[in-house]
Each structure stands twice: as C-alpha cells, then as structure tokens.
Amino acid sequence: MSVHIATDPGDDATVGTHPVTGAADQTTADPTTAAPATAPPAEPAPGPRQGRGAALVGSTLLAVGVALAAANLRPAVTSLASVLGDVRASLGATTAWTSLLTAVPTVCFGVAAFAAPWLGRRFGMARAVGASLVVLTLGLVLRVLDGPAVLLGGTFTACAGIAVCNVLIPVVVKESFPDKVGFLTGVYTAALAAGAAVGAALTPTLETVLGSWQLAAATWALLSTAALLVWSASARHGAAPAVAPAHGARPAAPARRTSVLRSPLAWVITVFFGLQSLLAYTVMGWLPQIMADSGVDRTTAGMLLAITMVLGVPVSLVVPPLATRWGSQSWLVVLLGSLSIAGILGLAIAPVAAPGLWVVLIGTGMCVFPLALVIISLRTATAADTANLSAMAQSIGYLISAAGPFAFGVLRDVTGAWTVSMYVLAGVLVALIALGVIAGRPRTL
C-alpha cells in the first residue's frame, strides 16, 4: 500500500510505501510573483514513480521467486540434523556443544529479525531479501571449512540471512499479492516444508556419495544460489502513484503510532509463535537422534524426519486458504496442537511401536506454522502493522523457542533418556493450544 502526495513537478519529495515514511513539502507563495485573483489553471499531477519504497510487482515470476526463496529457509537446519551423529563424532564435540548447535538457528532468527523491518525500509524489499540470500549462501559454505567454532559461526551467519527472509517474505506476500494472501502463504509454507524435507532426506545420501558430511552440507549453497538468481530477475519495485486527492476528499487514515509492543494481543501472538517454533526446531534438531537411539539406522532416521517435514507441503496448501475463509482460527489451532501432542506422547511411550504414525501426527501438527503466519496477517489492518507484528513475533518468538532444542538435549543428558524431555514438550503444547485459541479469535490490533 502506498501513499503519495502531489508536489511541484520540480520537487522530488514523495511519501514512501510501507511503513509510511517522510512527509510532503509545503510551499509558500512568493508575494512578489503572486498570481492574479482568478484561480490559475491546475497543474498536471506527476506521473507514477518508481522507488525502493514501493511494493514489488506481483508477477508470476515473483511468486516463483518467493517459493524458491522459501525452499531455502530450512535446509540449513535439517541438513545438519540428519547427519548430526556424524558431525559430532568427526569434530569430537560434546553433548552440550551439540545442544548449542541445535539452538543456534532460533537464537539467530530472534536476534536478526529485529533488523529486518529496518532493512526493508532502508534498502527496499528487493535488495534486502536478495542480500539475505547472499548471506545465507556464504554461511552455508563457510561453516564446513573448519572445526566446531567455525561451524557454529557459519550456521549463525546462514541463519541471519534466513531470519531476514522469515520476516520480509510474508510482507511481500501481503503487499504484492493482496487478493491472494491465503493462497500465496500456502505456497510459501509448502515450499518451506518441501525444502526442509529434501534437506533431511538427501543429506545422508549425499554424504555417502560425496564421502563427507562437509561436502553434503555445503551442497545446499547451490539451492540458495539458484534462489538468488531467480529473485534478482523477479523482484522489481512497482510504480508508486503520486495522485493529488480530489477537492473535499477525506484524507487517508493516519499511520498507526502505538507500538505493537503495547498490545496484549500482539504478545499473545508472539508467545504462540514462539511455542510453535520451539516444537518445530526441537523436532528438526533431535528427531533423527531420538530415532537412532531407539535402534533406527541413520538413513531411515533421516527419512522419518523428511516425512515429518514433507507432510507440511499438502497441509500448508490447505490450512492458510481455509483459515482465511473462517472468522476464527481457534478450532484449527486445537486440531493441529492435539495431533502434535498425540505424536509426541506416542514417541515417548512406544517410539519403535509405530514410528511412522508418530511422525505423521507430529508432522501434520507442525503445520500450525503456516497458520501462525496467517494469523499475523489477519490480526493486522495494514502492511505496516503486519511487518511490525511479524518482526515482533519472529524476533521475540524465536528467542523464546531457542530454549527448546537446548533444554531438550540437556534434559536428556541429565535423565539418560528422551522420555522426560518429550513429556515436557507435550506440556508446552498444551500452553500453545491455549494461546492459539486466544490469538485465533477474529479481531485486529
């Protein structure tokens, strides 16, 4: 959404797009050159202008760029998770270090997400997302070049690029495809789930073919490079029409001035987002190791994680459009949260009795993520509010979720088994459902 105020043709001032920045110049007539009493002829309104503040053009190619960028937002995590045992053995790492590695993505997502709205405003969505894909690619390559410290640093770097995309791409969807928010959110989250699944499923095979987990993990930089090329070709800022309001027309509503940090609903959504992220990254970080400790071989464990992720593809295509058609999304939260609890408890009580069923339940329940993104859009009235709430939910929410993977692994180390860790995770999901019921009620900030 864009607001432009007509100015003198020689004046380059504009009022940019979301969030609204700048102000129109006010011109005072020179008394020595005052016009006669009769009204002068109206000056032609300036034509449409291009600028970094304008929304990206919602083309088919941009939709492909959004999907391909989304496909790169999880392989950095799931690729390492699927070969975590080999990574730990080759580096001689401790359990505490391994727990820290699983927590790094969410910590980084939380910290870097604070800067995402500023980057979008300062450089424009096209450049901000493009630069983030560059950072992601460099991090994927750098992290396999040396030992444990470099691996942690490279993973943090890669996840910094992911964090910015996490915040800005949903804003691109709302701004550039306002009539297809549900559908494009579904495509975005389905691509994200597909990337996570492919990263988990193929990395063990790539390790076998290429001879090392380092080469297997670095291979995913090729996918991010492809996304960068498509994004560079598709992301174009559109025209921001500078049209003077008609005489007597009602002025546009002022931009929201109250910080979302003061909204109780925004905090409910933020903690809700944080708890669903805690579930997702705990599962992505530890599920293969849980399976391996239960006697499942490495390749099968990676495939089980891939199944968990790939279930998000069809479900993500259904949940967002369905959620936008209903006034309340609370019932969807209850349904998906209950499936996750059933899968976690099954994994805790009888992990090898029906592992396929447990991962199906967990994977389906984890589709509360696209629902959380839709709720962020539905609970906000403007793209500016969407960006601010998205940044708040993802920055603070990911910092909340960072405790999950780390505590999950440490608790296992203390108790000697995964059972207590999974019971605690099930309790967290009860809180997620309660908050989601509140967040899903139809209203806006």
Side-chain angles (χ1 to χ4, degrees), residues 366-435:
M366 282 170 56
C367 287
V368 74
F369 169 69
L371 181 58
L373 294 181
V374 171
I375 286 175
I376 289 174
S377 291
L378 294 179
R379 300 290 89 86
T380 52
T382 67
D385 282 350
T386 302
N388 292 332
L389 180 57
S390 179
M392 175 182 173
Q394 297 200 46
S395 56
I396 299 174
Y398 278 127
L399 290 176
I400 291 172
S401 69
F406 182 78
F408 194 82
V410 171
L411 191 57
R412 188 265 177 215
D413 216 26
V414 171
T415 61
W418 294 106
T419 308
V420 175
S421 296
M422 285 185 279
Y423 283 146
V424 171
L425 184 58
V428 169
L429 291 175
V430 173
L432 179 146
I433 292 174
L435 291 169

Side-chain angles (χ1 to χ4, degrees), residues 163-239:
V164 175
C165 291
N166 279 340
V167 174
L168 296 186
I169 289 182
V171 178
V172 170
V173 169
K174 181 159 185 171
E175 284 189 326
S176 301
F177 305 94
D179 298 327
K180 300 179 181 178
V181 170
F183 174 72
L184 262 299
T185 299
V187 170
Y188 163 72
T189 53
L192 189 148
V198 171
L202 291 188
T203 304
T205 302
L206 288 172
E207 181 185 14
T208 301
V209 172
L210 299 176
S212 73
W213 67 264
Q214 288 92 338
L215 290 176
T219 300
W220 299 106
L222 298 176
L223 181 62
S224 59
T225 300
L228 175 61
L229 294 175
V230 174
W231 182 264
S232 299
S234 65
R236 294 289 181 270
H237 289 281

Side-chain angles (χ1 to χ4, degrees), residues 27-50:
T27 306
T28 303
D30 185 343
T32 63
T33 58
T38 58
E43 295 178 348
R49 305 183 184 190
Q50 304 285 338

